[in-house]
Amino acid sequence: MQPLMRKFVRDSRKTLIWTAIGVGVYVAMIMSFFPTIAEQGDQFNEILETYPEEIIATFYSGDIADFKIDDPAIFLQTEAVIWIILIMGGMITQQVLGGTINAERENKMDLLLSLPVSRREVLLGRVVNSAVFSLVGLTAIFLPVVLVQPFMESFHIAPDKLALGIYTGFFLLMVQASLTFALTSISPSHTRWAGPLAFTYFFGAYLLMAFAPSIDWIDTISPLFIFKYYNMAEIINNGLEMTDVLVMAVVSVALLGVAFWRFEKKEIAV
Amino acid sequence: MTHTVVSINNLTCRYGDFTAVKDLSFEVNQGEIFGFLGPNGAGKTTTLRTMMDFIRPDGGSIEVFGIDTRAEPEAIKARVGFLSSELVLWENWNGEQYIRWLEKVRHKPMLEEAQRLAQLLDFEMKRSLQGMSTGMKRKIGVIAALAHKPELLILDEPSIGLDPLMQQVFEELMIEVREEGRTVLLSSHDLSEVEAICDRVAIIREGELQTVENVANLTRLAFRWMNLTFKDEAAPIEGFDRINGVTDISTENGELRMRVSGDADMDTLIKHIAQYPVKDLQFDHPTLEEIFLTYYGREA
């Protein structure tokens, strides 16, 4: 099991390192704008109030009445975290596809499964790799904020709240990874719908969430969208909603259960 | 006493409406090199992939070392070396790194044997796998399959991409494996390859087993095409048609072509040819299709 995990992590280490560096630099750069935003907070908020709700909701999935751009948590959420989560979600989806259904098509899965390792171990190795990728990416958001904020008087988020806010994003990313694992385990490798469906769900859910405040039917189905359950700024400012975490955890475990069950029965590369 | 290493019982595999393997049964015994022969698309790879538990049978079963492949695939794979027909490697490693990783997965020392095999196959273990030719990748595939000294080797079209010299080294390696009492099951669509090293052969066509034969019998039953060119004169047909085992005589562009069966009266044939000034003589191996047709007494 360990050699498998080490191999999977090793295979993605360059992507992991450069993603972490990129995310870290981006967060530090975005934070450097905050003193200006804080100084002119009233003007910025006035301008933002004139924006349609849908646009604000694109950045901020919480209660729009609470939206203040000079709030450090909301600033970090809207200017960095939401985008990084979107990028990481896309990368994890691609990584899962590469490690499962694409590996089947490229005959790499044959090579792995010709060794005395179980299918469960192979899939578990891939899941651990997605978890490591998520945690490293989230740490790349957390560390620059912790390191930079002592030098910025106007920006302060307690490190424990910051950690809770950022690392809860792990559940969101794992739901997306689990969904992709489930879809790739269900779909025969000659079909091409698992990837598009996984990407459509993730980015579609994000975009539709923006219209939930103003379109009733979208609002009705919004519990199906993963972004409804995670907003870093709300966690930092109002505390963690355990129900949201539970929903994400249960959905993720259920989807992984489907993935393991179906992968065990799957005809590889057929 | 002969032990059965592989036992395939009424195996049926379907892809949707298409039946790739129909009611296939044969056994492979310990210490033999067993050829699994058939044209492309006959169901060879499907059978081997089912043995490795990559795909699941729609009917029947396979036992390897007396263990059902569905029940304990990992226990079987620990004792098997497998080479896929479409070998794809992780290219971010070199050969040595790959073998060291396999040692950890298999919990067996492999590097020393891998280095010996690499020397025989003229493979550079420290060279990156990235950008290697098909033949070179095939070599590391063979090394990885052999280096843990498996009791059973399952090789799907193993000689694809190997040059004739390496093909010979490969054949010697297979004979070495047999001499150590280990077993080889290899698939091929090339009769000459199977003839060279296999003890027995199963022939599969359109998913159905045609026969399981000793290679010696197959060679006897098989035939070759003889092509003769004579100096300064038109090809003489007369007399050839009366020789036992010589049929289908034709001439084209001054060349005399005839079908010579495995049990033909070669002495008479050679003496008859010797009456004429021969410029060139060549043999062509029959295609698998021609062998199948011979088996079933139909005209090619």
Side-chain angles (χ1 to χ4, degrees):
Chain A
M1 184 68 200
Q2 272 188 354
L4 272 188
M5 283 189 190
R6 276 206 296 270
K7 184 198 156 8
F8 294 154
V9 174
R10 184 199 147 108
D11 285 352
S12 57
R13 74 185 192 285
K14 280 185 187 164
T15 312
L16 197 66
I17 290 167
W18 286 108
T19 303
I21 291 171
V23 166
V25 168
Y26 177 73
V27 170
M29 191 188 75
I30 286 294
M31 281 187 69
S32 71
F33 297 135
F34 188 75
T36 313
I37 301 284
E39 266 175 33
Q40 301 169 41
D42 292 341
Q43 289 102 304
F44 275 114
N45 285 323
E46 261 178 46
I47 294 166
L48 285 168
E49 275 168 22
T50 65
Y51 278 36
E53 279 192 347
E54 291 81 358
I55 289 184
I56 303 295
T58 308
F59 312 112
Y60 186 70
S61 58
D63 189 345
I64 289 171
D66 296 337
F67 186 80
K68 298 284 178 224
I69 195 67
D70 53 341
D71 176 280
I74 291 174
F75 172 79
L76 193 62
Q77 162 74 18
T78 55
E79 303 304 316
V81 173
I82 188 63
W83 309 120
I84 294 167
I85 290 280
L86 272 174
I87 291 166
M88 282 178 60
M91 288 175 82
I92 285 170
T93 305
Q94 189 55 49
Q95 202 177 52
V96 173
L97 292 168
T100 54
I101 203 159
N102 291 349
E104 284 184 50
R105 289 192 197 116
E106 293 162 5
N107 287 307
K108 287 179 181 167
M109 193 62 87
D110 277 19
L111 194 61
L112 263 183
L113 292 177
S114 68
L115 302 172
V117 292
S118 65
R119 292 185 181 202
R120 182 174 40 80
E121 285 174 302
V122 170
L123 201 59
L124 190 59
R126 293 290 180 199
V127 172
V128 169
N129 188 41
S130 296
V132 168
F133 191 89
S134 303
L135 288 172
V136 170
L138 294 170
T139 303
I141 305 174
F142 177 72
L143 277 183
V145 179
V146 170
L147 293 173
V148 170
Q149 70 173 355
F151 305 100
M152 296 171 68
E153 277 182 26
S154 54
F155 192 102
H156 181 75
I157 302 172
D160 57 334
K161 285 186 175 178
L162 182 70
L164 192 65
I166 288 174
Y167 286 106
T168 303
F170 173 76
F171 291 96
L172 181 145
L173 293 171
M174 285 313 289
V175 169
Q176 177 59 18
S178 307
L179 173 72
T180 315
F181 277 117
L183 290 171
T184 54
S185 297
I186 292 166
S187 65
S189 64
H190 71 271
T191 61
R192 301 263 168 186
W193 50 263
L197 211 59
F199 280 114
T200 303
Y201 170 74
F202 190 64
F203 294 108
Y206 168 72
L207 291 170
L208 284 174
M209 270 303 287
F211 295 97
S214 51
I215 300 175
D216 284 346
W217 72 266
I218 294 178
D219 193 42
T220 311
I221 61 165
S222 66
L224 296 172
F225 306 148
I226 189 64
F227 292 93
K228 187 174 179 66
Y229 303 97
Y230 176 66
N231 181 320
M232 184 207 69
E234 283 206 331
I235 295 170
I236 291 170
N237 290 336
N238 306 325
L240 182 66
E241 189 67 60
M242 277 311 289
T243 320
D244 290 346
V245 177
L246 268 175
V247 167
M248 291 192 284
V250 168
V251 169
S252 184
V253 168
L255 288 169
L256 281 178
V258 171
F260 276 94
W261 172 54
R262 291 307 307 172
F263 190 62
E264 199 60 45
K265 295 179 179 302
K266 191 172 188 188
E267 308 268 0
I268 302 296
V270 169
Chain B
M1 187 183 159
T2 309
H3 294 284
T4 302
V5 174
V6 178
S7 176
I8 299 180
N9 308 301
N10 307 109
L11 182 73
T12 298
C13 296
R14 294 190 194 93
Y15 299 120
D17 295 335
F18 175 69
T19 304
V21 175
K22 289 177 212 162
D23 207 25
L24 184 75
S25 298
F26 65 83
E27 288 183 343
V28 181
N29 298 322
Q30 188 188 347
E32 71 175 338
I33 303 177
F34 190 93
F36 192 33
L37 192 62
N40 294 329
K44 303 186 297 290
T45 298
T46 298
T47 306
L48 300 188
R49 295 187 82 243
T50 311
M51 286 178 70
M52 294 303 290
D53 193 42
F54 300 158
I55 48 181
R56 272 66 193 265
D58 293 291
S61 64
I62 302 179
E63 284 185 3
V64 179
F65 308 119
I67 306 167
D68 191 305
T69 51
R70 297 293 312 275
E72 292 178 71
E74 294 89 52
I76 293 170
K77 289 172 196 172
R79 299 162 69 184
V80 167
F82 177 72
L83 180 66
S84 167
S85 61
E86 292 175 43
L87 180 68
V88 180
L89 295 165
W90 299 300
E91 298 197 341
N92 50 350
W93 281 344
N94 65 33
E96 191 176 309
Q97 286 170 318
Y98 178 43
I99 296 296
R100 282 189 188 282
W101 181 76
L102 288 176
E103 280 184 327
K104 288 176 191 151
V105 176
R106 290 193 173 276
H107 308 292
K108 276 184 181 175
M110 290 172 69
L111 192 60
E112 198 178 323
E113 177 65 2
Q115 277 162 342
R116 182 185 78 89
L117 295 167
Q119 205 166 11
L120 291 172
L121 288 163
D122 194 22
F123 181 82
E124 211 179 310
M125 291 288 280
K126 298 247 184 221
R127 201 182 132 191
S128 167
L129 301 178
Q130 196 159 27
M132 272 190 179
S133 67
T134 310
M136 292 305 271
K137 284 181 183 167
R138 208 76 195 145
K139 286 180 188 178
I140 185 68
V142 170
I143 292 168
L146 281 163
H148 64 105
K149 296 235 166 204
E151 293 165 61
L152 170 65
L153 274 162
I154 300 175
L155 310 171
D156 195 2
E157 307 272 3
S159 57
I160 295 174
L162 293 182
D163 60 49
L165 193 64
M166 285 304 120
Q167 168 79 26
Q168 198 182 340
V169 174
F170 170 76
E171 288 171 6
E172 285 164 10
L173 284 172
M174 292 303 102
I175 290 164
E176 183 186 300
V177 168
R178 177 175 59 192
E179 282 170 357
E180 289 170 4
R182 297 187 280 146
T183 312
V184 181
L185 167 57
L186 65 88
S187 79
S188 178
H189 61 265
D190 182 356
L191 179 65
S192 58
E193 179 186 20
V194 168
E195 271 181 329
I197 51 170
C198 290
D199 303 301
R200 288 195 304 145
V201 60
I203 299 179
I204 186 173
R205 185 190 185 206
E206 291 173 1
E208 288 184 274
L209 184 72
Q210 305 297 308
T211 184
V212 178
E213 271 292 351
N214 285 320
V215 167
N217 290 344
L218 189 72
T219 309
R220 187 176 53 79
L221 282 172
F223 63 90
R224 285 158 293 174
W225 289 104
M226 181 189 274
N227 304 303
L228 280 161
T229 316
F230 298 96
K231 284 180 185 165
D232 309 323
E233 50 185 284
I237 294 179
E238 300 78 31
F240 284 102
D241 53 353
R242 290 193 295 275
I243 300 169
N244 276 343
V246 176
T247 53
D248 298 297
I249 304 162
S250 63
T251 55
E252 193 175 343
N253 300 330
E255 186 182 78
L256 181 66
R257 182 175 167 86
M258 65 192 87
R259 180 173 155 149
V260 182
S261 70
D263 54 358
D265 184 353
M266 289 302 286
D267 184 60
T268 309
L269 176 61
I270 290 165
K271 283 172 181 162
H272 188 75
I273 294 168
Q275 296 172 30
Y276 305 97
V278 177
K279 186 181 173 189
D280 192 21
L281 186 154
Q282 284 183 351
F283 284 101
D284 289 341
H285 282 283
T287 62
L288 272 182
E289 192 63 18
E290 286 169 332
I291 291 172
F292 293 137
L293 294 172
T294 305
Y295 254 93
Y296 290 92
R298 283 174 267 179
E299 283 187 7

